[in-house]
Amino acid sequence: MADKNKTKMARQIVGYARLNFHMGMRQGKNLAVLLCMGCFLFYYLGGIREYLAVSRQTTGVQELFLTVMNTQYTAMTVWAGYLLVICDIPYSEKGIYPYLIRTSRKKWLLGQIFYLLLISVSYFIYICLVLAAVIFPYISVCYSWTSAFVKMLNAPWRCGIENNLSFTFSLIKHNSQQIVVGRQFVLCLFASWMLGMLTMAIHMLWKNGPGILVGAVALACDYLVTAVLDAIVGLRYFSPLTLSRISALSTSVNDRFNPSFSYACLFLGGLFVVSLSISIWKLRRYEYGR
């Protein structure tokens, strides 16, 4: 009986997540954002594609992902796209009451959380697929740093790449590719899940409030901390999107000025817990229809 109840509960949670996917994909805004993001990456990374084609070298999609998520201009664009996709969460569900009668508000909330995780993973998989298309067929599947990647970081002008690529070279020198790439993906998932949960919490408190405001504040903080007030290193400890870039974190145990990877995960996880607590507190009095 207990196993049947757990299975039923899991199906109901997945059902809410699937409903959100259907509602999100019906929004022309989300499809337009994904299309524009693909076009932007193709245009901005055109120099890399041309260099690989001329030199007959290969690079990894994961290496390109590191570059995109650690170069401020491209990282802010990718995050802006994600925030536009999730800024309406929770979606207006006018026919939700028949579902609630058969389930519960708790399962509805769990479904929203599960959906946020799925949409975060799906968004960054989409980014990686676009990056793969950008450099196809010059894709490497090796698990060590490729020579083309190192050359493009050290001397992009010699490779004919006009756009600036930003990445902390000491990370490549002292860490394996698997560690750096794995940590970057973890930071992206933590940050995206947190931003989605915070946006949802704000909407549950202020139903018709601008959900995009959460992302605008996060992007503004990142720009101020990394471009305007970059000399004040301590501010990096409190900027969520800055903490989502592994190049902004400490590169070794001797680096005591920049935040550590563990701190970044704890900070982003803490913001998620705070946002979740707000949603739980508001859940009983939340009105689903708009």
Side-chain angles (χ1 to χ4, degrees), residues 33 35 54 61 181 221 224 255 258 271 290:
V33 167
L35 178 61
V54 172
V61 175
V181 172
C221 288
L224 288 173
D255 183 1
N258 293 305
L271 287 179
R290 292 184 181 178

Side-chain angles (χ1 to χ4, degrees), residues 3-19 99 102-104 107-108 110-111 114 118:
D3 292 338
K4 289 184 178 180
N5 290 335
K6 289 181 180 179
T7 302
K8 182 180 179 180
M9 180 178 179
R11 287 178 179 175
Q12 291 169 342
I13 292 172
V14 172
Y16 280 123
R18 185 170 58 247
L19 178 63
Y99 288 91
R102 296 194 299 268
T103 60
S104 66
K107 292 172 185 175
W108 174 86
L110 291 174
F114 184 52
L118 289 180

Side-chain angles (χ1 to χ4, degrees), residues 79 120 185-195 261 264-270 272:
W79 281 118
S120 299
F185 270 106
V186 168
L187 290 173
C188 286
L189 289 179
F190 266 76
S192 58
W193 207 16
M194 178 276 299
L195 288 171
F261 173 75
C265 291
L266 288 173
F267 182 84
L268 295 173
F272 175 84

